[in-house]
Amino acid sequence: MGKVTVITGGTSGIGRGIAERILKDSGAEDRIFVTYGHDQKKAEEFLNDLPGEKRSQVILMKADMSSYEEMLKFVAKLKAQTDHIDWLVSNAGVSTYEKYENYTFEEWTSIVNTNLSVPVFMIQELRPMLVKGGSVLFTGSYAGQQAYSSSLVYGVTKAAIHFLTKSLVKEFEPKGITVNAIAPGFIETPWHQARTQESYDRINKKIALHRFGTVEEVADMAFAVLSNGYMNGSVVDIHGGYDYY
Ligand SMILES: NC(=O)c1ccc[n+]([C@@H]2O[C@H](COP(=O)([O-])OP(=O)(O)OC[C@H]3O[C@@H](n4cnc5c(N)ncnc54)[C@H](OP(=O)(O)O)[C@@H]3O)[C@@H](O)[C@H]2O)c1
């Protein structure tokens, strides 16, 4: 029985890095279900860029994680293709740079749904399929540790994800499943594609290493956390020394 991984938002940035890292160490019988929200072209690019022998291990699935109903459809399709999950990575996330005073309830709700509420219920649905000794990993954010972010709603959802991580440990205790989160600082992904050089310079000044992290640095850490049998209820920061400088 091969190892089965499910990763949401696995076709871009950090999620793609984690998917590729898992695939690198995988055997031919292992499978990885990789979801994306909207960008089919990017999803196909991810698949096509993989070494040929790894491509057949990947099952791409479109699933809009801002919608409870779409998440349930994804879960139904997943259950038709596998009866177990070893590793579950809840990574898909969104943000807004809108100022708090301009927030609408609809925008707030959409971000809270994508980053928090839908993952909560996805994990409720998938919990029975997780194997004994399995591993759940959330992509949190350092913006959920420190209220530095220009995006209030984003920081609030990520802080909630960190608390959810610790709270779920008890729920998964009977099967010895570990639940952890990573909390990255500023990582170079398409997330930052609209950022100006002035903005990069301003942020880099606050980071002791004076640069954004790479996807590979985060993916290596995520893989180490997923693989570690004793880490449980941990939220692991990776931010190059943000605020220490
Ligand atoms: N980059 C950073 O500096 C940083 C720092 C801390 C934490 N993070 C966290 O890392 C995670 C990944 O971010 P990233 O920087 O790698 O961004 P990214 O390159 O923009 O990737 C985001 C991924 O999430 C998917 N996604 C977005 N909305 C979705 C939805 N409604 N339903 C399903 N999937 C959806 C995207 O798929 P589509 O494009 O197809 O919709 C894409 O695969 C997020 O949770 C983010 O909060 C990022």
Side-chain angles (χ1 to χ4, degrees):
M1 192 166 73
K3 176 182 271 187
V4 172
T5 300
V6 175
I7 177 164
T8 67
T11 55
S12 177
I14 291 172
R16 174 174 170 163
I18 297 172
E20 288 172 346
R21 181 65 190 80
I22 292 170
L23 278 165
K24 193 175 149 200
D25 258 44
S26 66
E29 71 288 356
D30 296 340
R31 281 182 299 160
I32 176 162
F33 292 86
V34 178
T35 85
Y36 64 100
H38 319 89
D39 197 335
Q40 172 109 18
K41 193 164 161 273
K42 200 181 250 189
E44 282 164 8
E45 272 168 22
F46 153 69
L47 198 60
N48 291 334
D49 287 349
L50 289 172
E53 73 278 8
K54 297 288 177 193
R55 225 169 283 156
S56 59
Q57 292 174 231
V58 176
I59 301 100
L60 268 184
M61 296 176 97
K62 189 171 185 300
D64 180 359
M65 290 294 162
S66 67
S67 155
Y68 178 69
E69 289 73 25
E70 291 300 311
M71 178 276 290
L72 286 181
K73 284 186 201 161
F74 156 67
V75 166
K77 280 191 209 146
L78 186 66
K79 283 180 178 169
Q81 295 191 61
T82 181
D83 60 0
H84 73 281
I85 298 168
D86 295 83
W87 286 357
L88 175 56
V89 184
S90 180
N91 166 78
V94 288
S95 187
T96 174
Y97 291 109
E98 196 58 74
K99 286 187 160 66
Y100 170 51
E101 61 259 34
N102 298 329
Y103 278 9
T104 61
F105 187 73
E106 287 69 28
E107 188 175 26
W108 171 276
T109 305
S110 169
I111 293 170
V112 172
N113 282 348
T114 308
N115 291 4
L116 179 64
S117 308
V118 172
V120 166
F121 287 93
M122 178 184 75
I123 284 160
Q124 184 194 54
E125 288 289 329
L126 298 181
R127 187 169 70 145
M129 297 170 72
L130 273 148
V131 301
K132 208 168 185 310
S135 186
V136 177
L137 182 73
F138 290 99
T139 303
S141 172
Y142 195 59
Q145 310 276 63
Q146 291 273 342
Y148 71 79
S149 175
S150 53
S151 178
L152 184 148
V153 60
Y154 179 73
V156 169
T157 60
K158 293 298 185 178
I161 282 294
H162 300 166
F163 200 79
L164 177 70
T165 298
K166 293 170 190 292
S167 308
L168 282 176
V169 166
K170 191 167 175 226
E171 300 295 327
F172 282 97
E173 177 270 334
K175 280 165 90 177
I177 292 162
T178 59
V179 188
N180 297 289
I182 55 168
F186 289 88
I187 308 305
E188 194 54 65
T189 73
W191 189 281
H192 298 286
Q193 63 195 4
R195 206 173 275 290
T196 61
Q197 190 55 48
E198 184 278 328
S199 170
Y200 271 106
D201 293 346
R202 188 169 34 81
I203 293 165
N204 282 339
K205 272 193 193 142
K206 297 185 194 163
I207 302 170
L209 291 179
H210 300 301
R211 65 172 177 85
F212 280 33
T214 67
V215 162
E216 291 72 23
E217 285 163 336
V218 178
D220 280 346
M221 195 186 76
F223 186 76
V225 175
L226 279 163
S227 314
N228 191 299
Y230 200 60
M231 279 185 83
N232 202 8
S234 297
V235 177
V236 189
D237 297 345
I238 175 164
H239 52 51
Y242 189 90
D243 264 358
Y244 286 67
Y245 176 68

